[in-house]
Amino acid sequence: QITLKESGPTLVKSTQTLTLTCTFSGFSLTPGGVAVAWIRQPPGKALEWLALIYWNDAKRYSPSLKSRLTITKDTSKNQVVLTMTNMDPLDTATYYCAQERVLSNWFDPWGQGTLVTVSS
Amino acid sequence: SYVLTQPPSVSVAPGQTASITCGGNNIGSRSVHWYQQKAGQAPVLVVYDDSDRPSGIPERVSGSNSGNTATLTITRVEAGDEADYYCQVWDSSSDHWVFGGGTKLTVL
């Protein structure tokens, strides 16, 4: 069974850097055509794709947030980490991680999500 | 960048059929995926590659894609189908993933 779980601070201040960790089980980010993505959802709003990292360490970023995002992986710990710099209250959202099987281009399954609130 | 357009809301009576559209330029040439998100929960994949269903998704849920519109269809709608539904594609030209704005399905 594949599971993913997000962890990190629930509250950050404006201009601070957010670091979120996705810890997963049931698969590994070793060669095998798997990737992990981060997606966020502001309260009452739509889903927004943020970043994705492949098993081979290739990375993709949302063009609108690319300058603020870094995605990395720790294969030994089965973790993917997302950092977002210069946080703003508009970044208040539930942040999800999800698996993508390469060449599928869909996300399944998803973690439960973690709500991050940015105070001004 | 590629844009997906969904109606904000769709309402349907129990037992009827709900159709949720997702518009995009020549979307019929892309693979469209659909997610169901119930209140307070994470999204769940309900249709992938236009019309395939993951295991556990009932046959009442189906998808189609042609021209500039993809459609998620739910027949014999139940109260438990009430949720937000999102379409999603991979934009090959930019190698990015795109979501629609979401549609709230209300069961009357």
Side-chain angles (χ1 to χ4, degrees):
Chain A
Q1 181 189 7
I2 294 172
T3 64
L4 304 97
K5 187 173 183 179
E6 306 84 354
S7 60
T10 58
L11 181 65
V12 298
K13 295 181 179 180
S14 289
T15 74
Q16 287 186 336
T17 294
L18 171 69
T19 299
L20 294 173
T21 301
C22 176
T23 303
F24 53 86
S25 63
F27 69 98
S28 61
L29 271 174
T30 52
V34 177
V36 172
W38 284 96
I39 299 139
R40 72 177 179 179
Q41 184 175 38
K45 295 190 177 181
L47 301 168
E48 178 184 20
W49 171 74
L50 299 177
L52 181 142
I53 188 165
Y54 291 99
W55 83 97
N56 61 1
D57 211 37
K59 302 165 186 178
R60 302 291 183 267
Y61 295 102
S62 166
S64 62
L65 293 167
K66 183 175 183 177
S67 64
R68 299 173 52 206
L69 295 174
T70 303
I71 190 170
T72 60
K73 63 181 175 66
D74 186 331
T75 304
S76 66
K77 294 182 179 179
N78 277 355
Q79 292 180 334
V80 169
V81 175
L82 181 75
T83 60
M84 180 180 292
T85 61
N86 194 24
M87 293 293 285
D88 182 272
L90 289 176
D91 295 313
T92 294
T94 296
Y95 288 76
Y96 297 98
C97 61
Q99 184 197 59
E100 191 232 40
R101 275 166 283 181
V102 177
L103 299 183
S104 73
N105 296 315
W106 67 79
F107 304 114
D108 179 59
W110 297 52
Q112 64 188 24
T114 185
L115 176 61
V116 178
T117 300
V118 184
S119 63
S120 56
Chain B
S1 61
Y2 195 74
V3 176
L4 296 174
T5 302
Q6 298 183 239
S9 63
V10 168
S11 299
V12 63
Q16 299 304 302
T17 297
S19 295
I20 299 172
T21 59
C22 176
N25 184 32
N26 197 26
I27 196 173
S29 66
R30 303 170 185 263
S31 291
V32 179
H33 321 298
W34 291 90
Y35 303 87
Q36 177 194 63
Q37 185 180 33
K38 295 184 178 180
Q41 299 183 20
V44 173
L45 181 73
V46 293
V47 166
Y48 64 94
D49 285 349
D50 298 337
S51 58
D52 291 332
R53 284 184 306 276
S55 60
I57 303 302
E59 292 185 4
R60 303 185 296 108
V61 179
S62 63
S64 62
N65 184 17
S66 179
N68 292 319
T69 305
T71 303
L72 178 72
T73 302
I74 306 173
T75 60
R76 302 185 301 281
V77 166
E78 305 169 355
D81 297 324
E82 189 161 281
D84 294 325
Y85 291 83
Y86 293 90
C87 58
Q88 176 250 312
V89 301
W90 174 63
D91 183 10
S92 58
S93 62
S94 61
D95 200 4
H96 295 140
W97 288 258
V98 180
F99 287 94
T103 298
K104 180 176 181 59
L105 175 64
T106 299
V107 181
L108 301 171

